[in-house]
Amino acid sequence: MTLKIHIDDSAPPYEQVRAQISEQARGGVLPVGYRLPTVRGLAESLGLAVNTVAKAYRALETDGVIETRGRNGTFVAAAGSAADREASLAAQAYAERVRRLGLGEEEALAAVRDALRAAYGEG
């Protein structure tokens, strides 16, 4: 696992750690079951505070990318399928909600496009 933290980056260090581990896990660079370094070990190797790495690990666990198995360590979870299921459920809930609100398909899609642009920082 290779992580690079850029101090001059606009993203805070914990977000850089979270994003890089997530990208590597979802891209298969870190396979399911891969044991991640301890919070303390990763913090030390990156020159970050322990709380910074702990915050990234908590976010990754919330996202379903990693799982902590107590004293056994922290591992890459089978996140792809869990993330896909969660996204599908959210999409179904959204579709039902906009239908009840009386929005048409084009209006609903436009709202999603706007939200995605805002979330991903585009346009």
Side-chain angles (χ1 to χ4, degrees):
M1 178 173 80
T2 304
L3 302 178
K4 293 188 190 321
I5 304 303
H6 303 283
I7 301 305
D8 57 342
D9 195 315
S10 63
Y14 87 89
E15 176 56 24
Q16 292 179 52
V17 171
R18 188 210 60 76
Q20 290 178 48
I21 291 174
S22 181
E23 183 178 311
Q24 290 181 30
R26 293 185 196 286
V29 175
L30 298 177
V32 171
Y34 177 86
R35 186 174 185 181
L36 295 170
T38 64
V39 169
R40 187 173 306 282
L42 184 57
E44 192 173 293
S45 71
L46 294 174
L48 296 173
V50 171
N51 287 339
T52 300
V53 174
K55 185 175 183 178
Y57 273 27
R58 282 192 303 273
L60 287 162
E61 192 156 24
T62 298
D63 291 346
V65 176
I66 64 173
E67 60 185 6
T68 301
R69 300 177 191 161
R71 291 182 175 209
N72 292 322
T74 302
F75 299 85
V76 173
S81 59
D84 291 344
R85 278 193 307 274
E86 189 170 336
S88 179
L89 289 172
Q92 288 172 355
Y94 175 75
E96 291 169 10
R97 178 80 173 132
V98 295
R99 195 176 111 254
R100 282 195 309 271
L101 291 171
L103 293 178
E105 185 176 335
E106 286 306 312
E107 294 167 303
L109 286 171
V112 168
R113 283 188 203 99
D114 290 345
L116 288 171
R117 277 189 211 102
Y120 287 95
E122 298 172 10

